[in-house]
Amino acid sequence: CAPFAVAIERARLFEEVHRLAITDPLTGAYNRRYFLDQAAQECLRAQRYHHAVSLIMMDLDHFKQINDSYGHTAGDQVLRFVIAACQENLRAADLLARFGGEEFIILLPETPLEQATLIAERIRQSIVPAQVITSEGPVQVRVSLGVASSDEHTWLIHDLIKRADQALYQAKALGRNRTQVWMPILAPDSNPSDPSI
Protein backbone atom coordinates (compact mmCIF):
# COMPACT_ATOMS: atom_id res chain seq x y z
CA CYS A 1 0.00 0.00 0.00
CA ALA A 2 2.84 2.41 0.90
CA PRO A 3 4.60 2.16 -2.51
CA PHE A 4 1.27 2.85 -4.22
CA ALA A 5 0.69 5.95 -2.06
CA VAL A 6 4.22 7.16 -2.77
CA ALA A 7 3.65 6.71 -6.52
CA ILE A 8 0.42 8.71 -6.36
CA GLU A 9 2.13 11.50 -4.41
CA ARG A 10 5.02 11.61 -6.89
CA ALA A 11 2.57 11.84 -9.79
CA ARG A 12 0.70 14.65 -8.04
CA LEU A 13 3.93 16.55 -7.39
CA PHE A 14 5.06 16.09 -10.99
CA GLU A 15 1.73 17.44 -12.23
CA GLU A 16 1.98 20.43 -9.89
CA VAL A 17 5.54 21.24 -10.99
CA HIS A 18 4.45 21.04 -14.63
CA ARG A 19 1.48 23.34 -13.96
CA LEU A 20 3.73 25.88 -12.25
CA ALA A 21 6.18 25.76 -15.16
CA ILE A 22 3.56 26.69 -17.77
CA THR A 23 1.38 29.19 -15.91
CA ASP A 24 1.67 32.75 -14.70
CA PRO A 25 1.75 32.60 -10.89
CA LEU A 26 -0.41 35.71 -10.40
CA THR A 27 -3.29 35.12 -12.80
CA GLY A 28 -3.19 31.37 -13.43
CA ALA A 29 -3.20 32.01 -17.19
CA TYR A 30 -0.55 30.34 -19.33
CA ASN A 31 2.83 32.04 -19.42
CA ARG A 32 4.41 33.54 -22.53
CA ARG A 33 6.86 30.69 -23.21
CA TYR A 34 4.21 27.98 -23.08
CA PHE A 35 1.83 30.05 -25.18
CA LEU A 36 4.38 30.63 -27.94
CA ASP A 37 5.22 26.94 -28.08
CA GLN A 38 1.59 25.79 -28.25
CA ALA A 39 0.52 28.59 -30.59
CA ALA A 40 3.32 27.80 -33.05
CA GLN A 41 2.13 24.19 -33.23
CA GLU A 42 -1.50 25.28 -33.64
CA CYS A 43 -0.56 27.64 -36.49
CA LEU A 44 1.30 24.86 -38.30
CA ARG A 45 -1.74 22.62 -37.89
CA ALA A 46 -4.01 25.35 -39.23
CA GLN A 47 -1.78 25.84 -42.25
CA ARG A 48 -1.65 22.12 -42.97
CA TYR A 49 -5.44 21.74 -42.90
CA HIS A 50 -6.26 25.20 -44.26
CA HIS A 51 -8.14 26.29 -41.14
CA ALA A 52 -8.36 29.89 -40.04
CA VAL A 53 -6.60 30.86 -36.83
CA SER A 54 -6.99 34.22 -35.11
CA LEU A 55 -5.16 36.12 -32.43
CA ILE A 56 -6.25 38.77 -29.93
CA MET A 57 -3.81 41.08 -28.15
CA MET A 58 -5.35 42.86 -25.15
CA ASP A 59 -3.91 45.59 -22.96
CA LEU A 60 -5.37 47.31 -19.90
CA ASP A 61 -5.72 51.04 -20.49
CA HIS A 62 -3.80 53.29 -18.09
CA PHE A 63 -2.96 50.37 -15.81
CA LYS A 64 -0.05 52.31 -14.27
CA GLN A 65 -2.58 54.82 -12.94
CA ILE A 66 -4.48 52.00 -11.23
CA ASN A 67 -1.29 50.80 -9.53
CA ASP A 68 -0.31 54.36 -8.58
CA SER A 69 -3.77 55.27 -7.24
CA TYR A 70 -4.83 52.04 -5.55
CA GLY A 71 -1.59 50.11 -5.03
CA HIS A 72 -0.16 46.95 -6.54
CA THR A 73 -2.39 44.61 -4.52
CA ALA A 74 -5.46 46.18 -6.11
CA GLY A 75 -3.71 46.08 -9.49
CA ASP A 76 -3.13 42.35 -9.06
CA GLN A 77 -6.82 41.87 -8.24
CA VAL A 78 -7.74 43.75 -11.43
CA LEU A 79 -5.49 41.48 -13.50
CA ARG A 80 -7.12 38.38 -12.02
CA PHE A 81 -10.57 39.82 -12.73
CA VAL A 82 -9.65 40.44 -16.38
CA ILE A 83 -8.39 36.87 -16.79
CA ALA A 84 -11.62 35.51 -15.30
CA ALA A 85 -13.69 37.69 -17.67
CA CYS A 86 -11.70 36.38 -20.63
CA GLN A 87 -12.10 32.76 -19.58
CA GLU A 88 -15.88 33.17 -19.36
CA ASN A 89 -15.95 34.16 -23.03
CA LEU A 90 -13.55 31.54 -24.41
CA ARG A 91 -13.76 27.89 -25.41
CA ALA A 92 -11.69 25.11 -23.92
CA ALA A 93 -9.66 24.95 -27.16
CA ASP A 94 -8.69 28.63 -26.99
CA LEU A 95 -5.31 29.57 -25.55
CA LEU A 96 -5.11 32.48 -23.08
CA ALA A 97 -1.81 33.76 -21.71
CA ARG A 98 -0.33 36.67 -19.84
CA PHE A 99 2.09 38.07 -22.39
CA GLY A 100 3.76 40.58 -20.12
CA GLY A 101 2.74 43.11 -17.49
CA GLU A 102 -0.86 44.07 -18.19
CA GLU A 103 -0.87 42.60 -21.72
CA PHE A 104 -2.68 39.38 -22.55
CA ILE A 105 -2.82 37.26 -25.68
CA ILE A 106 -5.46 34.83 -26.93
CA LEU A 107 -5.16 32.28 -29.72
CA LEU A 108 -8.44 31.20 -31.30
CA PRO A 109 -8.04 27.99 -33.36
CA GLU A 110 -10.37 27.44 -36.32
CA THR A 111 -11.75 30.95 -35.94
CA PRO A 112 -12.05 33.41 -38.84
CA LEU A 113 -11.50 37.14 -38.40
CA GLU A 114 -15.16 38.13 -38.16
CA GLN A 115 -15.86 35.64 -35.39
CA ALA A 116 -12.64 36.56 -33.56
CA THR A 117 -13.64 40.23 -33.65
CA LEU A 118 -17.00 39.39 -32.08
CA ILE A 119 -15.24 37.42 -29.34
CA ALA A 120 -12.83 40.28 -28.66
CA GLU A 121 -15.67 42.77 -28.43
CA ARG A 122 -17.64 40.43 -26.17
CA ILE A 123 -14.63 40.26 -23.83
CA ARG A 124 -14.29 44.05 -23.84
CA GLN A 125 -17.98 44.56 -23.11
CA SER A 126 -17.88 42.06 -20.25
CA ILE A 127 -15.01 43.99 -18.62
CA VAL A 128 -15.93 47.64 -19.22
CA PRO A 129 -19.30 47.89 -17.39
CA ALA A 130 -17.95 46.23 -14.26
CA GLN A 131 -16.29 47.87 -11.32
CA VAL A 132 -13.66 45.54 -9.93
CA ILE A 133 -14.10 45.33 -6.17
CA THR A 134 -10.59 45.37 -4.76
CA SER A 135 -9.25 45.54 -1.22
CA GLU A 136 -8.73 49.27 -1.82
CA GLY A 137 -12.21 49.95 -3.19
CA PRO A 138 -13.95 49.69 -6.58
CA VAL A 139 -11.81 50.20 -9.69
CA GLN A 140 -13.06 50.99 -13.17
CA VAL A 141 -11.22 49.03 -15.88
CA ARG A 142 -10.90 49.73 -19.59
CA VAL A 143 -9.17 47.55 -22.18
CA SER A 144 -8.00 47.89 -25.77
CA LEU A 145 -7.83 44.90 -28.11
CA GLY A 146 -6.18 44.18 -31.45
CA VAL A 147 -7.37 41.30 -33.65
CA ALA A 148 -5.63 39.55 -36.55
CA SER A 149 -6.19 36.36 -38.51
CA SER A 150 -4.18 34.09 -40.74
CA ASP A 151 -4.38 34.42 -44.51
CA GLU A 152 -2.67 32.81 -47.49
CA HIS A 153 0.51 34.78 -46.75
CA THR A 154 0.56 34.73 -42.96
CA TRP A 155 0.55 31.58 -40.84
CA LEU A 156 3.48 31.99 -38.49
CA ILE A 157 2.62 32.91 -34.90
CA HIS A 158 5.17 35.74 -34.80
CA ASP A 159 3.59 37.35 -37.86
CA LEU A 160 0.12 37.08 -36.32
CA ILE A 161 1.42 38.62 -33.10
CA LYS A 162 2.96 41.49 -35.05
CA ARG A 163 -0.33 42.16 -36.83
CA ALA A 164 -2.45 41.96 -33.68
CA ASP A 165 0.03 44.21 -31.88
CA GLN A 166 -0.21 46.81 -34.66
CA ALA A 167 -4.01 46.69 -34.37
CA LEU A 168 -3.74 47.07 -30.59
CA TYR A 169 -1.56 50.18 -30.96
CA GLN A 170 -4.06 51.54 -33.45
CA ALA A 171 -6.85 51.01 -30.89
CA LYS A 172 -4.77 52.98 -28.39
CA ALA A 173 -4.13 55.76 -30.91
CA LEU A 174 -7.86 56.02 -31.67
CA GLY A 175 -8.74 56.68 -28.05
CA ARG A 176 -8.46 53.33 -26.24
CA ASN A 177 -11.30 51.19 -24.84
CA ARG A 178 -12.02 49.66 -28.25
CA THR A 179 -11.49 46.62 -30.44
CA GLN A 180 -9.44 47.20 -33.60
CA VAL A 181 -9.03 44.75 -36.48
CA TRP A 182 -5.68 44.56 -38.29
CA MET A 183 -5.78 45.77 -41.87
CA PRO A 184 -2.94 45.97 -44.41
CA ILE A 185 -3.12 49.77 -44.31
CA LEU A 186 -2.03 49.76 -40.66
CA ALA A 187 1.58 50.84 -40.65
CA PRO A 188 4.05 50.08 -37.88
CA ASP A 189 4.72 53.79 -37.47
CA SER A 190 1.10 54.31 -36.41
CA ASN A 191 2.13 53.42 -32.84
CA PRO A 192 1.22 56.20 -30.44
CA SER A 193 4.08 57.93 -28.73
CA ASP A 194 2.15 58.26 -25.45
CA PRO A 195 4.24 56.38 -22.85
CA SER A 196 1.23 55.94 -20.54
CA ILE A 197 -0.48 53.29 -22.67
Side-chain angles (χ1 to χ4, degrees), residues 154-196:
T154 304
W155 290 97
L156 296 177
I157 184 59
H158 294 289
D159 292 334
L160 283 176
I161 289 173
K162 183 177 179 181
R163 287 183 173 187
D165 204 38
Q166 287 174 3
L168 172 61
Y169 277 114
Q170 183 74 359
K172 297 279 191 181
L174 292 171
R176 301 182 174 85
N177 187 30
R178 59 183 292 137
T179 297
Q180 180 67 42
V181 175
W182 182 86
M183 294 173 288
I185 58 170
L186 290 182
D189 60 0
S190 66
N191 295 0
S193 57
D194 183 356
S196 65

Side-chain angles (χ1 to χ4, degrees), residues 18-70:
H18 177 68
R19 184 187 68 79
L20 291 172
I22 66 174
T23 56
D24 169 58
L26 175 64
T27 63
Y30 289 122
N31 60 33
R32 181 178 185 143
R33 184 180 62 184
Y34 180 79
F35 174 88
L36 290 174
D37 180 56
Q38 296 299 305
Q41 294 180 40
E42 187 58 48
C43 285
L44 288 174
R45 191 177 303 116
Q47 182 181 21
R48 185 179 304 125
Y49 296 107
H50 303 286
H51 293 158
V53 61
S54 293
L55 191 77
I56 299 171
M57 293 285 287
M58 181 177 70
D59 188 77
L60 277 66
D61 296 333
H62 301 300
F63 184 67
K64 184 179 184 300
Q65 292 179 10
I66 293 175
N67 277 333
D68 290 348
S69 300
Y70 297 91

